[in-house]
Short mmCIF file of all heavy atoms in Angstrom, two decimals:
data_model
loop_
_atom_site.label_atom_id
_atom_site.label_comp_id
_atom_site.label_asym_id
_atom_site.label_seq_id
_atom_site.Cartn_x
_atom_site.Cartn_y
_atom_site.Cartn_z
N MET A 8 42.23 27.00 -57.09
CA MET A 8 41.79 25.65 -56.78
C MET A 8 42.91 24.97 -56.02
O MET A 8 43.92 24.59 -56.62
CB MET A 8 41.45 24.90 -58.09
CG MET A 8 40.90 23.55 -57.87
SD MET A 8 40.05 22.83 -59.28
CE MET A 8 41.09 23.15 -60.65
N GLY A 9 42.77 24.85 -54.72
CA GLY A 9 43.85 24.25 -53.92
C GLY A 9 45.09 25.12 -53.98
O GLY A 9 45.01 26.33 -53.88
N SER A 10 46.24 24.49 -54.19
CA SER A 10 47.49 25.22 -54.22
C SER A 10 47.90 25.67 -55.62
O SER A 10 48.97 26.20 -55.82
CB SER A 10 48.61 24.36 -53.61
OG SER A 10 48.75 23.20 -54.38
N PHE A 11 47.04 25.47 -56.61
CA PHE A 11 47.40 25.89 -57.97
C PHE A 11 46.30 26.76 -58.55
O PHE A 11 45.16 26.73 -58.12
CB PHE A 11 47.66 24.67 -58.87
CG PHE A 11 46.65 23.57 -58.71
CD1 PHE A 11 45.49 23.54 -59.46
CD2 PHE A 11 46.88 22.55 -57.81
CE1 PHE A 11 44.57 22.53 -59.32
CE2 PHE A 11 45.94 21.53 -57.66
CZ PHE A 11 44.80 21.51 -58.41
N ALA A 12 46.69 27.57 -59.51
CA ALA A 12 45.77 28.51 -60.15
C ALA A 12 45.62 28.16 -61.62
O ALA A 12 46.55 27.68 -62.26
CB ALA A 12 46.30 29.94 -60.00
N LEU A 13 44.45 28.44 -62.16
CA LEU A 13 44.21 28.22 -63.59
C LEU A 13 45.12 29.13 -64.39
O LEU A 13 45.27 30.31 -64.09
CB LEU A 13 42.76 28.51 -63.93
CG LEU A 13 41.73 27.50 -63.46
CD1 LEU A 13 40.33 27.99 -63.79
CD2 LEU A 13 41.98 26.16 -64.10
N ARG A 14 45.74 28.58 -65.42
CA ARG A 14 46.58 29.36 -66.31
C ARG A 14 46.06 29.33 -67.75
O ARG A 14 46.64 29.96 -68.63
CB ARG A 14 48.02 28.86 -66.25
CG ARG A 14 48.68 29.17 -64.90
CD ARG A 14 50.09 28.75 -64.87
NE ARG A 14 50.14 27.31 -64.63
CZ ARG A 14 51.22 26.57 -64.75
NH1 ARG A 14 52.34 27.09 -65.16
NH2 ARG A 14 51.17 25.28 -64.52
N GLU A 15 45.02 28.55 -67.96
CA GLU A 15 44.40 28.49 -69.29
C GLU A 15 42.96 28.05 -69.10
O GLU A 15 42.62 27.51 -68.04
CB GLU A 15 45.14 27.51 -70.20
CG GLU A 15 45.13 26.08 -69.71
CD GLU A 15 45.93 25.13 -70.61
OE1 GLU A 15 46.85 25.61 -71.30
OE2 GLU A 15 45.63 23.94 -70.62
N PRO A 16 42.11 28.24 -70.10
CA PRO A 16 40.70 27.81 -69.96
C PRO A 16 40.61 26.32 -69.63
O PRO A 16 41.41 25.52 -70.14
CB PRO A 16 40.10 28.11 -71.33
CG PRO A 16 40.96 29.17 -71.91
CD PRO A 16 42.36 28.88 -71.39
N LEU A 17 39.66 25.98 -68.80
CA LEU A 17 39.52 24.60 -68.36
C LEU A 17 38.06 24.18 -68.42
O LEU A 17 37.18 24.87 -67.90
CB LEU A 17 40.02 24.44 -66.92
CG LEU A 17 39.85 23.08 -66.26
CD1 LEU A 17 40.71 22.04 -66.96
CD2 LEU A 17 40.19 23.15 -64.78
N VAL A 18 37.80 23.06 -69.09
CA VAL A 18 36.46 22.48 -69.08
C VAL A 18 36.33 21.68 -67.80
O VAL A 18 37.15 20.81 -67.51
CB VAL A 18 36.24 21.55 -70.29
CG1 VAL A 18 34.87 20.89 -70.22
CG2 VAL A 18 36.38 22.36 -71.59
N LEU A 19 35.32 21.99 -66.99
CA LEU A 19 35.15 21.34 -65.71
C LEU A 19 34.48 19.97 -65.87
O LEU A 19 33.94 19.67 -66.91
CB LEU A 19 34.30 22.20 -64.78
CG LEU A 19 34.88 23.57 -64.44
CD1 LEU A 19 33.87 24.37 -63.61
CD2 LEU A 19 36.20 23.43 -63.70
N GLY A 20 34.51 19.21 -64.82
CA GLY A 20 33.78 17.96 -64.78
C GLY A 20 34.66 16.76 -64.69
O GLY A 20 35.39 16.44 -65.60
N HIS A 21 34.62 16.09 -63.53
CA HIS A 21 35.39 14.85 -63.42
C HIS A 21 34.59 13.75 -62.72
O HIS A 21 35.08 12.64 -62.57
CB HIS A 21 36.73 15.08 -62.74
CG HIS A 21 36.62 15.51 -61.30
ND1 HIS A 21 36.65 16.82 -60.92
CD2 HIS A 21 36.49 14.80 -60.17
CE1 HIS A 21 36.53 16.89 -59.61
NE2 HIS A 21 36.42 15.68 -59.12
N GLU A 22 33.41 14.04 -62.29
CA GLU A 22 32.58 13.00 -61.68
C GLU A 22 31.41 12.77 -62.62
O GLU A 22 30.45 13.53 -62.66
CB GLU A 22 32.12 13.43 -60.29
CG GLU A 22 33.29 13.57 -59.34
CD GLU A 22 32.93 14.13 -58.00
OE1 GLU A 22 31.79 14.60 -57.83
OE2 GLU A 22 33.79 14.10 -57.11
N VAL A 23 31.51 11.71 -63.40
CA VAL A 23 30.60 11.50 -64.51
C VAL A 23 29.90 10.15 -64.38
O VAL A 23 30.51 9.15 -64.03
CB VAL A 23 31.38 11.50 -65.84
CG1 VAL A 23 30.44 11.37 -67.00
CG2 VAL A 23 32.25 12.72 -65.95
N SER A 24 28.61 10.18 -64.69
CA SER A 24 27.87 8.93 -64.77
C SER A 24 26.89 9.06 -65.94
O SER A 24 26.61 10.15 -66.42
CB SER A 24 27.14 8.62 -63.47
OG SER A 24 26.19 9.63 -63.20
N GLY A 25 26.36 7.96 -66.39
CA GLY A 25 25.41 7.99 -67.49
C GLY A 25 24.92 6.59 -67.82
O GLY A 25 25.10 5.64 -67.04
N GLU A 26 24.30 6.51 -68.98
CA GLU A 26 23.76 5.23 -69.43
C GLU A 26 24.33 4.95 -70.81
O GLU A 26 24.35 5.85 -71.67
CB GLU A 26 22.22 5.33 -69.50
CG GLU A 26 21.56 4.01 -69.84
CD GLU A 26 20.03 4.14 -69.75
OE1 GLU A 26 19.54 4.56 -68.71
OE2 GLU A 26 19.38 3.79 -70.75
N VAL A 27 24.79 3.75 -71.04
CA VAL A 27 25.42 3.39 -72.30
C VAL A 27 24.37 3.38 -73.41
O VAL A 27 23.34 2.71 -73.29
CB VAL A 27 26.10 2.00 -72.19
CG1 VAL A 27 26.67 1.57 -73.54
CG2 VAL A 27 27.17 2.01 -71.10
N GLU A 28 24.62 4.13 -74.48
CA GLU A 28 23.70 4.18 -75.63
C GLU A 28 24.14 3.27 -76.76
O GLU A 28 23.31 2.76 -77.50
CB GLU A 28 23.59 5.62 -76.15
CG GLU A 28 22.87 6.53 -75.19
CD GLU A 28 22.65 7.91 -75.80
OE1 GLU A 28 23.01 8.14 -76.96
OE2 GLU A 28 22.07 8.76 -75.09
N GLN A 29 25.46 3.09 -76.91
CA GLN A 29 25.98 2.24 -77.98
C GLN A 29 27.23 1.58 -77.50
O GLN A 29 27.93 2.09 -76.63
CB GLN A 29 26.34 3.07 -79.21
CG GLN A 29 25.20 3.75 -79.90
CD GLN A 29 25.68 4.56 -81.11
OE1 GLN A 29 26.72 5.22 -81.04
NE2 GLN A 29 24.93 4.49 -82.18
N VAL A 30 27.55 0.45 -78.08
CA VAL A 30 28.85 -0.20 -77.82
C VAL A 30 29.40 -0.69 -79.16
O VAL A 30 28.66 -1.02 -80.08
CB VAL A 30 28.73 -1.39 -76.84
CG1 VAL A 30 28.30 -0.93 -75.46
CG2 VAL A 30 27.78 -2.43 -77.36
N GLY A 31 30.71 -0.76 -79.24
CA GLY A 31 31.38 -1.29 -80.43
C GLY A 31 31.34 -2.82 -80.43
O GLY A 31 31.00 -3.45 -79.42
N ASP A 32 31.67 -3.39 -81.57
CA ASP A 32 31.62 -4.85 -81.73
C ASP A 32 32.51 -5.59 -80.74
O ASP A 32 32.21 -6.71 -80.34
CB ASP A 32 32.00 -5.24 -83.16
CG ASP A 32 30.97 -4.79 -84.16
OD1 ASP A 32 29.79 -4.57 -83.77
OD2 ASP A 32 31.36 -4.65 -85.34
N SER A 33 33.63 -4.99 -80.37
CA SER A 33 34.58 -5.69 -79.51
C SER A 33 34.37 -5.37 -78.03
O SER A 33 35.12 -5.86 -77.18
CB SER A 33 36.01 -5.35 -79.92
OG SER A 33 36.22 -3.95 -79.80
N VAL A 34 33.38 -4.57 -77.67
CA VAL A 34 33.12 -4.22 -76.28
C VAL A 34 32.41 -5.38 -75.58
O VAL A 34 31.37 -5.85 -76.07
CB VAL A 34 32.28 -2.92 -76.17
CG1 VAL A 34 31.90 -2.65 -74.73
CG2 VAL A 34 33.05 -1.76 -76.77
N VAL A 35 32.98 -5.83 -74.47
CA VAL A 35 32.38 -6.95 -73.75
C VAL A 35 32.07 -6.63 -72.28
O VAL A 35 31.38 -7.41 -71.62
CB VAL A 35 33.31 -8.20 -73.80
CG1 VAL A 35 33.44 -8.68 -75.23
CG2 VAL A 35 34.65 -7.91 -73.18
N ARG A 36 32.59 -5.53 -71.77
CA ARG A 36 32.43 -5.24 -70.34
C ARG A 36 31.20 -4.42 -70.02
O ARG A 36 30.82 -4.31 -68.86
CB ARG A 36 33.67 -4.56 -69.79
CG ARG A 36 34.88 -5.48 -69.84
CD ARG A 36 36.10 -4.83 -69.31
NE ARG A 36 35.92 -4.49 -67.90
CZ ARG A 36 36.79 -3.80 -67.19
NH1 ARG A 36 37.88 -3.35 -67.74
NH2 ARG A 36 36.55 -3.53 -65.92
N VAL A 37 30.59 -3.78 -70.99
CA VAL A 37 29.37 -3.01 -70.75
C VAL A 37 28.36 -3.32 -71.86
O VAL A 37 28.72 -3.78 -72.94
CB VAL A 37 29.62 -1.48 -70.72
CG1 VAL A 37 30.50 -1.11 -69.54
CG2 VAL A 37 30.22 -0.99 -72.01
N ARG A 38 27.09 -3.08 -71.59
CA ARG A 38 26.05 -3.34 -72.57
C ARG A 38 25.11 -2.13 -72.67
O ARG A 38 25.05 -1.29 -71.75
CB ARG A 38 25.25 -4.59 -72.18
CG ARG A 38 24.46 -4.41 -70.89
CD ARG A 38 23.80 -5.70 -70.44
NE ARG A 38 22.92 -5.48 -69.31
CZ ARG A 38 23.27 -5.12 -68.08
NH1 ARG A 38 24.54 -4.90 -67.82
NH2 ARG A 38 22.38 -4.95 -67.14
N VAL A 39 24.41 -2.03 -73.77
CA VAL A 39 23.48 -0.91 -73.98
C VAL A 39 22.45 -0.91 -72.85
O VAL A 39 21.93 -1.94 -72.47
CB VAL A 39 22.78 -1.05 -75.35
CG1 VAL A 39 21.67 -0.02 -75.49
CG2 VAL A 39 23.80 -0.90 -76.48
N GLY A 40 22.22 0.28 -72.31
CA GLY A 40 21.25 0.44 -71.25
C GLY A 40 21.87 0.37 -69.85
O GLY A 40 21.23 0.70 -68.86
N GLN A 41 23.11 -0.08 -69.78
CA GLN A 41 23.76 -0.22 -68.48
C GLN A 41 24.13 1.15 -67.92
O GLN A 41 24.60 2.02 -68.64
CB GLN A 41 25.03 -1.07 -68.62
CG GLN A 41 25.73 -1.37 -67.32
CD GLN A 41 26.91 -2.31 -67.53
OE1 GLN A 41 27.15 -2.81 -68.61
NE2 GLN A 41 27.66 -2.53 -66.47
N ARG A 42 23.93 1.35 -66.62
CA ARG A 42 24.35 2.58 -65.96
C ARG A 42 25.83 2.44 -65.61
O ARG A 42 26.26 1.39 -65.10
CB ARG A 42 23.55 2.82 -64.70
CG ARG A 42 22.12 3.16 -64.98
CD ARG A 42 21.36 3.41 -63.70
NE ARG A 42 19.97 3.74 -63.98
CZ ARG A 42 19.06 3.86 -63.04
NH1 ARG A 42 19.40 3.70 -61.77
NH2 ARG A 42 17.82 4.15 -63.36
N VAL A 43 26.58 3.50 -65.88
CA VAL A 43 28.02 3.45 -65.66
C VAL A 43 28.51 4.74 -65.00
O VAL A 43 27.86 5.78 -65.07
CB VAL A 43 28.78 3.27 -67.02
CG1 VAL A 43 28.48 1.90 -67.61
CG2 VAL A 43 28.43 4.37 -67.99
N ALA A 44 29.67 4.65 -64.38
CA ALA A 44 30.38 5.80 -63.85
C ALA A 44 31.80 5.75 -64.39
O ALA A 44 32.34 4.67 -64.65
CB ALA A 44 30.39 5.77 -62.32
N VAL A 45 32.37 6.91 -64.58
CA VAL A 45 33.72 6.99 -65.14
C VAL A 45 34.73 7.26 -64.03
O VAL A 45 34.53 8.15 -63.21
CB VAL A 45 33.80 8.13 -66.18
CG1 VAL A 45 35.22 8.35 -66.66
CG2 VAL A 45 32.86 7.83 -67.35
N ASN A 46 35.79 6.49 -64.01
CA ASN A 46 36.90 6.75 -63.09
C ASN A 46 37.67 7.94 -63.64
O ASN A 46 38.25 7.85 -64.73
CB ASN A 46 37.79 5.51 -62.98
CG ASN A 46 38.95 5.73 -62.03
OD1 ASN A 46 39.24 6.84 -61.59
ND2 ASN A 46 39.64 4.65 -61.73
N PRO A 47 37.70 9.07 -62.94
CA PRO A 47 38.30 10.27 -63.48
C PRO A 47 39.83 10.30 -63.36
O PRO A 47 40.47 11.24 -63.84
CB PRO A 47 37.69 11.38 -62.64
CG PRO A 47 37.49 10.74 -61.32
CD PRO A 47 37.09 9.31 -61.63
N SER A 48 40.42 9.31 -62.75
CA SER A 48 41.89 9.34 -62.55
C SER A 48 42.61 8.82 -63.78
O SER A 48 42.15 7.92 -64.47
CB SER A 48 42.26 8.54 -61.32
OG SER A 48 41.92 7.18 -61.49
N LEU A 49 43.75 9.46 -64.03
CA LEU A 49 44.57 9.09 -65.19
C LEU A 49 46.00 8.85 -64.72
O LEU A 49 46.85 9.74 -64.77
CB LEU A 49 44.54 10.23 -66.23
CG LEU A 49 43.15 10.61 -66.75
CD1 LEU A 49 43.21 11.94 -67.48
CD2 LEU A 49 42.66 9.51 -67.68
N PRO A 50 46.30 7.66 -64.22
CA PRO A 50 47.66 7.37 -63.79
C PRO A 50 48.62 7.42 -64.96
O PRO A 50 48.24 7.16 -66.10
CB PRO A 50 47.55 5.98 -63.17
CG PRO A 50 46.35 5.37 -63.78
CD PRO A 50 45.41 6.51 -64.09
N CYS A 51 49.89 7.70 -64.69
CA CYS A 51 50.87 7.89 -65.74
C CYS A 51 51.28 6.59 -66.44
O CYS A 51 51.79 6.62 -67.55
CB CYS A 51 52.11 8.59 -65.20
SG CYS A 51 53.19 7.54 -64.19
N ILE A 52 51.11 5.48 -65.79
CA ILE A 52 51.52 4.14 -66.20
C ILE A 52 53.03 4.00 -66.44
O ILE A 52 53.48 3.06 -67.06
CB ILE A 52 50.74 3.59 -67.44
CG1 ILE A 52 51.04 4.38 -68.70
CG2 ILE A 52 49.24 3.57 -67.18
CD1 ILE A 52 50.49 3.73 -69.97
N ALA A 53 53.82 4.94 -65.91
CA ALA A 53 55.27 4.89 -66.10
C ALA A 53 56.05 4.99 -64.79
O ALA A 53 57.22 4.63 -64.76
CB ALA A 53 55.71 5.99 -67.05
N CYS A 54 55.47 5.50 -63.72
CA CYS A 54 56.21 5.66 -62.46
C CYS A 54 56.35 4.30 -61.77
O CYS A 54 55.76 3.30 -62.18
CB CYS A 54 55.52 6.67 -61.55
SG CYS A 54 54.00 6.09 -60.77
N ASP A 55 57.13 4.26 -60.71
CA ASP A 55 57.38 3.00 -60.02
C ASP A 55 56.09 2.38 -59.48
O ASP A 55 55.89 1.17 -59.59
CB ASP A 55 58.40 3.17 -58.91
CG ASP A 55 58.07 4.28 -57.93
OD1 ASP A 55 57.29 5.22 -58.29
OD2 ASP A 55 58.59 4.26 -56.80
N PHE A 56 55.19 3.18 -58.95
CA PHE A 56 53.92 2.64 -58.47
C PHE A 56 53.09 2.05 -59.62
O PHE A 56 52.59 0.94 -59.51
CB PHE A 56 53.10 3.70 -57.73
CG PHE A 56 53.59 3.99 -56.34
CD1 PHE A 56 54.06 5.24 -56.01
CD2 PHE A 56 53.53 3.02 -55.36
CE1 PHE A 56 54.51 5.51 -54.73
CE2 PHE A 56 53.98 3.26 -54.07
CZ PHE A 56 54.47 4.53 -53.76
N CYS A 57 52.97 2.80 -60.70
CA CYS A 57 52.17 2.32 -61.85
C CYS A 57 52.76 1.03 -62.40
O CYS A 57 52.02 0.08 -62.72
CB CYS A 57 52.11 3.38 -62.93
SG CYS A 57 51.00 4.74 -62.54
N LEU A 58 54.07 0.95 -62.50
CA LEU A 58 54.71 -0.25 -63.05
C LEU A 58 54.53 -1.47 -62.16
O LEU A 58 54.66 -2.59 -62.60
CB LEU A 58 56.19 0.03 -63.32
CG LEU A 58 56.45 1.03 -64.46
CD1 LEU A 58 57.93 1.35 -64.55
CD2 LEU A 58 55.90 0.52 -65.78
N GLN A 59 54.22 -1.22 -60.89
CA GLN A 59 53.96 -2.32 -59.95
C GLN A 59 52.47 -2.61 -59.84
O GLN A 59 52.04 -3.35 -58.94
CB GLN A 59 54.52 -1.97 -58.58
CG GLN A 59 56.04 -1.88 -58.54
CD GLN A 59 56.53 -1.45 -57.18
OE1 GLN A 59 56.22 -2.09 -56.17
NE2 GLN A 59 57.30 -0.37 -57.14
N GLY A 60 51.67 -2.04 -60.70
CA GLY A 60 50.23 -2.30 -60.68
C GLY A 60 49.48 -1.53 -59.61
O GLY A 60 48.36 -1.89 -59.26
N MET A 61 50.08 -0.47 -59.08
CA MET A 61 49.44 0.33 -58.02
C MET A 61 49.22 1.75 -58.53
O MET A 61 49.67 2.74 -57.94
CB MET A 61 50.30 0.34 -56.77
CG MET A 61 50.47 -1.06 -56.15
SD MET A 61 51.36 -1.06 -54.59
CE MET A 61 53.01 -0.68 -55.14
N GLY A 62 48.51 1.86 -59.66
CA GLY A 62 48.27 3.16 -60.27
C GLY A 62 47.54 4.13 -59.39
O GLY A 62 47.64 5.34 -59.57
N ASN A 63 46.81 3.61 -58.42
CA ASN A 63 46.10 4.51 -57.49
C ASN A 63 47.07 5.32 -56.63
O ASN A 63 46.68 6.30 -56.02
CB ASN A 63 45.13 3.74 -56.62
CG ASN A 63 45.79 2.64 -55.82
OD1 ASN A 63 46.63 1.91 -56.35
ND2 ASN A 63 45.41 2.49 -54.58
N HIS A 64 48.34 4.93 -56.59
CA HIS A 64 49.35 5.68 -55.87
C HIS A 64 50.25 6.48 -56.78
O HIS A 64 51.32 6.95 -56.38
CB HIS A 64 50.23 4.72 -55.03
CG HIS A 64 49.49 4.02 -53.96
ND1 HIS A 64 49.06 4.66 -52.82
CD2 HIS A 64 49.09 2.73 -53.85
CE1 HIS A 64 48.42 3.78 -52.05
NE2 HIS A 64 48.41 2.60 -52.65
N CYS A 65 49.90 6.58 -58.04
CA CYS A 65 50.73 7.24 -59.06
C CYS A 65 51.28 8.58 -58.55
O CYS A 65 50.59 9.38 -57.95
CB CYS A 65 49.89 7.49 -60.32
SG CYS A 65 50.78 8.35 -61.63
N ARG A 66 52.56 8.77 -58.85
CA ARG A 66 53.25 9.99 -58.38
C ARG A 66 52.84 11.22 -59.17
O ARG A 66 53.05 12.35 -58.68
CB ARG A 66 54.77 9.79 -58.46
CG ARG A 66 55.24 8.71 -57.53
CD ARG A 66 56.76 8.60 -57.55
NE ARG A 66 57.20 7.47 -56.74
CZ ARG A 66 57.33 7.52 -55.41
NH1 ARG A 66 57.04 8.61 -54.76
NH2 ARG A 66 57.74 6.44 -54.77
N THR A 67 52.29 11.05 -60.36
CA THR A 67 51.88 12.20 -61.17
C THR A 67 50.45 12.02 -61.66
O THR A 67 50.13 12.34 -62.80
CB THR A 67 52.82 12.42 -62.35
OG1 THR A 67 52.88 11.23 -63.13
CG2 THR A 67 54.21 12.80 -61.88
N MET A 68 49.60 11.51 -60.78
CA MET A 68 48.20 11.26 -61.12
C MET A 68 47.54 12.51 -61.68
O MET A 68 47.70 13.61 -61.14
CB MET A 68 47.44 10.80 -59.89
CG MET A 68 45.98 10.48 -60.14
SD MET A 68 45.77 8.93 -61.03
CE MET A 68 46.01 7.78 -59.68
N ARG A 69 46.85 12.37 -62.77
CA ARG A 69 46.06 13.46 -63.34
C ARG A 69 44.59 13.09 -63.25
O ARG A 69 44.26 11.90 -63.12
CB ARG A 69 46.46 13.71 -64.78
CG ARG A 69 47.88 14.24 -64.89
CD ARG A 69 48.30 14.33 -66.31
NE ARG A 69 49.67 14.83 -66.38
CZ ARG A 69 50.04 15.91 -67.02
NH1 ARG A 69 49.17 16.58 -67.72
NH2 ARG A 69 51.29 16.30 -67.01
N PHE A 70 43.73 14.09 -63.33
CA PHE A 70 42.29 13.87 -63.26
C PHE A 70 41.61 14.69 -64.34
O PHE A 70 42.02 15.82 -64.63
CB PHE A 70 41.73 14.27 -61.89
CG PHE A 70 42.24 13.43 -60.76
CD1 PHE A 70 43.39 13.79 -60.09
CD2 PHE A 70 41.58 12.28 -60.39
CE1 PHE A 70 43.87 13.02 -59.05
CE2 PHE A 70 42.04 11.48 -59.36
CZ PHE A 70 43.20 11.85 -58.69
N PHE A 71 40.54 14.13 -64.94
CA PHE A 71 39.74 14.91 -65.85
C PHE A 71 39.29 16.17 -65.15
O PHE A 71 38.92 16.14 -63.98
CB PHE A 71 38.48 14.14 -66.30
CG PHE A 71 38.75 12.97 -67.18
CD1 PHE A 71 38.34 11.70 -66.82
CD2 PHE A 71 39.42 13.12 -68.40
CE1 PHE A 71 38.58 10.61 -67.64
CE2 PHE A 71 39.65 12.04 -69.21
CZ PHE A 71 39.24 10.78 -68.85
N GLY A 72 39.34 17.30 -65.84
CA GLY A 72 38.85 18.56 -65.28
C GLY A 72 39.75 19.12 -64.20
O GLY A 72 39.27 19.85 -63.34
N SER A 73 41.05 18.84 -64.27
CA SER A 73 41.96 19.32 -63.24
C SER A 73 43.04 20.20 -63.86
O SER A 73 43.55 19.91 -64.93
CB SER A 73 42.62 18.14 -62.53
OG SER A 73 43.65 18.61 -61.67
N ALA A 74 43.40 21.26 -63.11
CA ALA A 74 44.46 22.16 -63.55
C ALA A 74 45.72 21.96 -62.73
O ALA A 74 46.60 22.80 -62.69
CB ALA A 74 43.98 23.60 -63.44
N ALA A 75 45.84 20.80 -62.08
CA ALA A 75 47.01 20.56 -61.23
C ALA A 75 48.30 20.48 -62.03
O ALA A 75 49.37 20.79 -61.54
CB ALA A 75 46.81 19.27 -60.43
N PHE A 76 48.21 20.04 -63.29
CA PHE A 76 49.39 19.93 -64.14
C PHE A 76 49.12 20.66 -65.45
O PHE A 76 47.97 20.79 -65.87
CB PHE A 76 49.69 18.45 -64.47
CG PHE A 76 50.09 17.65 -63.28
CD1 PHE A 76 49.17 16.88 -62.61
CD2 PHE A 76 51.40 17.64 -62.84
CE1 PHE A 76 49.53 16.11 -61.52
CE2 PHE A 76 51.77 16.88 -61.75
CZ PHE A 76 50.85 16.12 -61.08
N MET A 77 50.18 21.11 -66.08
CA MET A 77 50.07 21.71 -67.41
C MET A 77 50.59 20.72 -68.44
O MET A 77 51.65 20.10 -68.20
CB MET A 77 50.88 23.01 -67.50
CG MET A 77 50.27 24.13 -66.68
SD MET A 77 48.68 24.68 -67.32
CE MET A 77 49.17 25.50 -68.81
N PRO A 78 50.00 20.53 -69.58
CA PRO A 78 48.72 21.13 -69.92
C PRO A 78 47.61 20.53 -69.06
O PRO A 78 47.72 19.40 -68.60
CB PRO A 78 48.54 20.80 -71.39
CG PRO A 78 49.31 19.52 -71.57
CD PRO A 78 50.47 19.62 -70.65
N ASN A 79 46.56 21.30 -68.87
CA ASN A 79 45.41 20.84 -68.12
C ASN A 79 44.80 19.61 -68.78
O ASN A 79 44.89 19.44 -69.99
CB ASN A 79 44.31 21.90 -68.06
CG ASN A 79 44.75 23.13 -67.32
OD1 ASN A 79 45.62 23.10 -66.48
ND2 ASN A 79 44.12 24.24 -67.62
N VAL A 80 44.19 18.78 -67.96
CA VAL A 80 43.40 17.68 -68.51
C VAL A 80 41.97 18.19 -68.52
O VAL A 80 41.39 18.50 -67.47
CB VAL A 80 43.52 16.40 -67.64
CG1 VAL A 80 42.65 15.30 -68.23
CG2 VAL A 80 44.96 15.98 -67.52
N GLN A 81 41.39 18.32 -69.70
CA GLN A 81 40.05 18.88 -69.83
C GLN A 81 39.01 17.95 -69.21
O GLN A 81 39.18 16.73 -69.19
CB GLN A 81 39.72 19.14 -71.30
CG GLN A 81 40.64 20.17 -71.95
CD GLN A 81 40.57 21.52 -71.26
OE1 GLN A 81 39.50 22.03 -70.95
NE2 GLN A 81 41.74 22.14 -71.02
N GLY A 82 37.96 18.54 -68.70
CA GLY A 82 36.87 17.79 -68.09
C GLY A 82 35.91 17.31 -69.13
O GLY A 82 36.15 17.37 -70.33
N VAL A 83 34.78 16.85 -68.68
CA VAL A 83 33.82 16.18 -69.57
C VAL A 83 32.59 17.04 -69.90
O VAL A 83 31.82 16.64 -70.76
CB VAL A 83 33.36 14.85 -68.96
CG1 VAL A 83 34.53 13.91 -68.86
CG2 VAL A 83 32.71 15.07 -67.62
N PHE A 84 32.41 18.19 -69.25
CA PHE A 84 31.26 19.04 -69.56
C PHE A 84 31.63 20.01 -70.64
O PHE A 84 32.66 20.70 -70.55
CB PHE A 84 30.80 19.80 -68.31
CG PHE A 84 30.35 18.91 -67.21
CD1 PHE A 84 30.85 19.02 -65.92
CD2 PHE A 84 29.39 17.92 -67.44
CE1 PHE A 84 30.44 18.21 -64.90
CE2 PHE A 84 28.96 17.09 -66.42
CZ PHE A 84 29.49 17.22 -65.15
N LYS A 85 30.83 20.07 -71.69
CA LYS A 85 31.13 20.97 -72.82
C LYS A 85 29.94 21.80 -73.14
O LYS A 85 28.85 21.49 -72.86
CB LYS A 85 31.57 20.17 -74.03
CG LYS A 85 32.88 19.48 -73.76
CD LYS A 85 33.39 18.80 -75.01
CE LYS A 85 34.74 18.19 -74.66
NZ LYS A 85 35.34 17.50 -75.75
ZN1 ZN B 15 52.29 6.66 -62.28
#
């Protein structure tokens, strides 16, 4: 996959959408029945870009279902 190879089993899937079935008492941003999509990026929140509020430029960005870094970040399909 690109310039890296799988070194351990990986659950695929990073482009996810669905419909909300339940929400917790403190959830205010989504409601039951709402269609949603998941942002698959996982910025480190520690690099210089992340600390400046620019997580989209994260130097060690990870993604659900990606083997770019070890340990792998598992995807959403099971
Ligand atoms: Zn970062």
Side-chain angles (χ1 to χ4, degrees):
M8 184 163 44
S10 61
F11 44 88
L13 287 176
R14 290 183 281 168
E15 62 182 26
L17 175 67
V18 176
L19 298 175
H21 65 265
E22 295 175 350
V23 184
S24 62
E26 186 174 307
V27 176
E28 291 186 2
Q29 295 179 320
V30 295
D32 292 338
S33 61
V34 174
V35 295
R36 295 180 62 187
V37 295
R38 66 186 187 294
V39 172
Q41 184 176 354
R42 291 181 180 173
V43 293
V45 173
N46 180 349
S48 63
L49 302 165
C51 75
I52 66 170
C54 73
D55 53 337
F56 283 116
C57 285
L58 292 174
Q59 293 177 55
M61 297 185 290
N63 57 317
H64 295 288
C65 178
R66 296 184 185 278
T67 57
M68 182 74 78
R69 294 173 180 237
F70 294 90
F71 291 122
S73 171
F76 294 96
M77 290 294 290
N79 296 336
V80 179
Q81 297 300 315
V83 296
F84 298 128
K85 294 186 177 180

